Amino acid sequence: MNTRQSYAPTPHSYVPNTSLSATINLDEEVTLTSTRAERDLQDSLGELFSIIVTLDELEKAFLKDAIPEAEYTDICERSLRQYKALLADETIAAEFRDLEDFKAKWELDVPRATERLRATQEFITFLDAVKLGLLSKDQLHPLLSDVIQAVNRVTDKDFDSRGKIVQWLITLNQMKASDELSEQQARELELDIQQAYQGFRRTLT
């Protein structure tokens, strides 16, 4: 009695096609890296979307006294730092383009987040520069100019310490490009701009 084979034999032996093999890219990692890069980009854009929506909802909650001021400030500033960090990546920034383009593409109606992002980001950037010890005129004057320009685009209302922004611009403008503020001046500047930021924030409520 013949022993039954557990599988049917193939009619022909497989002979590798060397010419075909030569055309196959065995380095699959290149494709995977490209796919991961695209996925990472989409994830980052999704994070930006979430940050913008969160900021808008945060402003609404603050207006209704539904969130303590300390918590509001913490969430707001943390979200803005994340927003800034994401857009520091050139690939993400190129796809994002600018806030208005991003809002139009995704049909976002977030007026309060828009106000907050445009001006608050400039305040945070400036205060970070001071904290990092960037104290020369050529480092601080452009950043402080961005602050007042952003504020002017959002509101023409006067607020606490708004005038101090202008005063510091005058002080910096009178310095030589390489001149630096003293430690005492830096502390006063940081305090004044912090107060101006708080005053500006209250105009949005």
Side-chain angles (χ1 to χ4, degrees), residues 8 49 60 64 69 71 79 114 153 159 162 177 190:
F49 183 98
K60 293 176 184 177
K64 297 176 181 177
E69 183 172 350
E71 185 178 351
S79 297
T114 301
R153 284 195 295 267
F159 54 82
R162 180 173 186 157
E190 183 177 357

Side-chain angles (χ1 to χ4, degrees), residues 3-17:
T3 304
R4 184 177 180 180
Q5 292 179 304
S6 60
Y7 62 91
T10 55
H12 303 287
S13 297
Y14 172 69
V15 178
N17 184 331

Side-chain angles (χ1 to χ4, degrees), residues 15-48:
V15 178
N17 184 331
T18 55
S19 62
L20 177 62
S21 298
T23 65
I24 297 175
N25 183 2
L26 299 178
D27 188 5
E28 293 294 335
E29 185 64 23
V30 173
T31 301
L32 291 174
T33 300
S34 176
T35 301
R36 282 199 298 269
E38 292 174 2
R39 188 182 302 117
D40 288 346
L41 175 59
Q42 293 305 313
D43 287 346
S44 296
L45 293 173
E47 288 179 35
L48 286 167

Side-chain angles (χ1 to χ4, degrees), residues 162-175:
R162 180 173 186 157
K164 290 184 179 179
I165 301 176
V166 177
Q167 289 174 5
W168 277 109
L169 276 171
I170 294 171
T171 297
L172 290 169
N173 196 48
Q174 292 173 341
M175 295 167 58

